[in-house]
C-alpha cells in the first residue's frame, strides 16, 4: 500500500517568480509616495482636493436641508461659506486651468452630486434663492400715513432693512449706468441686492425671478468677462422693472 503524498502548503503554480533585486533595493514599502515634486504642484493638488471635498460636502448639506435635518440659519451659514471657499479656490489661475469646469471635473473624478451641481450653478443658498419655501409669508404692511414708508417695517422687516434693499437696487442700477459690466463688478452687488430684498419679504413680486435668473447668468461668466451692450440694456430694463415690482408690494 502506497503512503499518502504529503500535502503541499500552497497551491502549485506553473510559473516561477524571481524577485528583481535591483528594483527592490530602490523601493521601500515604508517610503511615502509623493504625487508632486514641487511646492506649486502640491498646492495645486491640495486645492483640487479641497474643491472635491466642497462638492461632496455641499451635496450632503443640500440633502440634509431637503430632509429638514438642519436648521435654516445653520444651513445658510454653512452653504454660504462653502460657496465662498469654492470660488476662492478657483480664483487661482492654475487651479482654474486644471479644473476646466464643473462638469469636466465631475467626469474626471467620477462624481455626480446633482444637488451640489445645482447649488453651485445658482451660487446662492436655497434659503436666499427661494425664500418662499424657507419661512412663513410676511403679513400686510403697516403704514404711518398715506403714501408714507412703513413705520415699523414690512411684516417682520424693519424700516432699516427696507431702506437697505432700496439702496441696493439704486446702487446696482447706478453701476450699470457707470458702465460697470464685468461679472466681478455686478455679481456681488446683485447677490447683496437679493439678500436684502429677502430680508424684507419672501413674497413673490414682478421681476424677482429676473434677479435670480441674472445671478445665475452672471455666475456662469468668467470673472473679467463683460456683458455686451444689448445684454446690459436688457439687464437695466429688467432690474428697473424688478425695482418697481418691489416698491409695489411695499405700498
Amino acid at each position: 500500500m502506497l503512503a499518502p503524498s504529503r500535502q503541499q502548503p500552497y497551491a502549485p503554480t506553473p510559473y516561477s517568480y524571481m524577485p528583481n533585486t535591483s528594483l527592490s533595493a530602490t523601493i521601500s514599502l515604508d517610503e511615502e509616495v509623493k504625487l508632486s515634486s514641487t511646492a506649486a504642484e502640491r498646492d495645486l493638488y491640495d486645492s483640487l482636493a479641497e474643491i472635491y471635498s466642497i462638492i461632496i460636502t455641499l451635496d450632503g448639506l443640500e440633502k440634509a436641508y431637503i430632509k429638514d435635518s438642519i436648521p435654516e440659519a445653520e444651513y445658510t451659514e454653512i452653504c454660504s461659506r462653502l460657496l465662498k471657499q469654492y470660488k476662492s479656490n478657483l480664483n487661482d489661475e492654475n487651479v482654474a486651468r486644471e479644473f476646466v469646469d464643473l462638469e469636466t471635473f465631475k467626469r474626471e473624478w467620477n462624481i455626480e452630486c446633482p444637488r451640489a451641481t445645482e447649488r453651485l450653478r445658482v451660487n446662492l443658498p436655497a434659503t436666499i434663492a427661494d425664500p418662499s419655501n424657507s419661512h412663513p409669508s410676511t403679513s400686510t404692511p403697516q403704514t404711518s400715513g398715506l403714501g408714507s414708508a412703513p413705520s415699523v417695517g414690512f411684516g417682520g422687516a424693519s424700516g432699516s432693512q427696507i431702506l437697505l434693499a432700496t439702496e441696493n437696487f439704486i446702487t446696482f442700477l447706478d453701476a450699470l449706468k457707470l458702465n460697470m459690466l464685468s461679472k466681478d463688478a455686478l455679481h456681488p452687488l446683485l447677490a447683496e441686492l437679493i439678500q436684502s430684498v429677502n430680508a424684507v419679504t419672501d413674497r413673490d413680486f414682478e421681476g424677482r425671478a429676473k434677479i435670480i435668473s441674472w445671478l445665475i447668468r452672471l455666475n456662469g461668466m468668467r470673472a473679467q468677462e463683460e456683458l455686451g451692450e444689448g445684454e446690459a440694456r436688457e439687464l437695466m430694463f429688467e432690474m428697473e422693472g424688478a425695482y418697481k415690482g418691489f416698491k409695489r408690494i411695499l405700498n
Side-chain angles (χ1 to χ4, degrees), residues 207-251:
R208 186 187 183 281
K210 295 294 184 181
I211 301 176
I212 301 299
S213 176
W214 275 103
L215 269 170
I216 296 172
R217 190 166 170 179
L218 289 168
N219 187 52
M221 296 168 55
R222 295 185 299 275
Q224 301 300 325
E225 188 176 353
E226 294 191 351
L227 298 174
E229 182 181 350
E231 291 176 310
R233 291 179 62 183
E234 179 186 0
L235 177 56
M236 173 70 78
F237 176 78
E238 292 182 346
M239 289 306 103
E240 286 178 342
Y243 184 31
K244 293 176 182 176
F246 177 69
K247 290 194 293 185
R248 272 196 292 271
I249 66 167
L250 296 181
N251 297 321

Side-chain angles (χ1 to χ4, degrees), residues 89 102 152 173 186 202 216 232 235 239:
N89 276 284
L102 181 56
V152 294
L173 292 171
L186 294 178
D202 64 349
I216 296 172
L235 177 56
M239 289 306 103

Side-chain angles (χ1 to χ4, degrees), residues 89-107:
N89 276 284
L90 289 177
N91 282 338
D92 186 292
E93 292 183 2
N94 293 329
V95 176
R97 188 183 307 112
E98 187 71 21
F99 180 80
V100 184
D101 56 49
L102 181 56
E103 292 303 320
T104 301
F105 186 83
K106 285 164 55 183
R107 284 196 302 269

Side-chain angles (χ1 to χ4, degrees), residues 24-248:
S24 300
T26 60
I27 298 179
S28 171
L29 297 179
D30 296 327
E31 183 180 352
E32 181 182 358
V33 178
K34 295 182 179 180
L35 298 177
S36 57
S37 56
T38 66
E41 286 182 348
R42 184 167 60 253
D43 289 343
L44 173 62
Y45 292 137
D46 285 348
S47 295
L48 292 174
E50 187 170 350
I51 290 173
Y52 180 95
S53 176
I54 289 171
I55 295 172
I56 299 297
T57 304
L58 188 56
D59 201 67
L61 180 67
E62 291 296 308
K63 291 177 183 177
Y65 174 69
I66 291 172
K67 294 178 181 178
D68 204 21
S69 301
I70 182 172
E72 289 178 5
E74 186 177 348
Y75 160 81
T76 303
E77 179 186 354
I78 297 173
C79 186
S80 297
R81 184 167 65 247
L82 289 172
L83 292 173
K84 289 178 182 177
Q85 291 171 344
Y86 176 83
K87 181 180 179 181
S88 178
N89 276 284
L90 289 177
N91 282 338
D92 186 292
E93 292 183 2
N94 293 329
V95 176
R97 188 183 307 112
E98 187 71 21
F99 180 80
V100 184
D101 56 49
L102 181 56
E103 292 303 320
T104 301
F105 186 83
K106 285 164 55 183
R107 284 196 302 269
E108 173 117 6
W109 297 101
N110 194 27
I111 54 177
E112 292 294 333
C113 300
R115 293 175 179 83
T117 301
E118 176 62 16
R119 190 55 49 220
L120 290 169
R121 185 181 74 87
V122 176
N123 198 35
L124 285 174
T127 47
I128 295 175
D130 189 10
S132 60
N133 290 331
S134 61
H135 51 78
S137 298
T138 51
S139 58
T140 305
Q142 302 175 12
T143 58
S144 58
L146 184 61
S148 60
S151 58
V152 294
F154 181 79
S158 66
S160 61
Q161 288 174 316
I162 296 175
L163 179 61
L164 178 60
T166 301
E167 289 176 345
N168 285 338
F169 264 113
I170 296 171
T171 298
F172 186 80
L173 292 171
D174 285 346
L176 289 175
K177 292 174 183 176
L178 293 171
N179 210 33
M180 298 170 59
L181 304 179
S182 65
K183 171 191 173 176
D184 57 1
L186 294 178
H187 191 278
L189 294 177
L190 198 55
E192 188 174 352
L193 167 59
I194 192 63
Q195 292 182 60
S196 63
V197 166
N198 289 342
V200 174
T201 179
D202 64 349
R203 283 169 52 183
D204 197 14
F205 57 87
E206 184 181 352
R208 186 187 183 281
K210 295 294 184 181
I211 301 176
I212 301 299
S213 176
W214 275 103
L215 269 170
I216 296 172
R217 190 166 170 179
L218 289 168
N219 187 52
M221 296 168 55
R222 295 185 299 275
Q224 301 300 325
E225 188 176 353
E226 294 191 351
L227 298 174
E229 182 181 350
E231 291 176 310
R233 291 179 62 183
E234 179 186 0
L235 177 56
M236 173 70 78
F237 176 78
E238 292 182 346
M239 289 306 103
E240 286 178 342
Y243 184 31
K244 293 176 182 176
F246 177 69
K247 290 194 293 185
R248 272 196 292 271

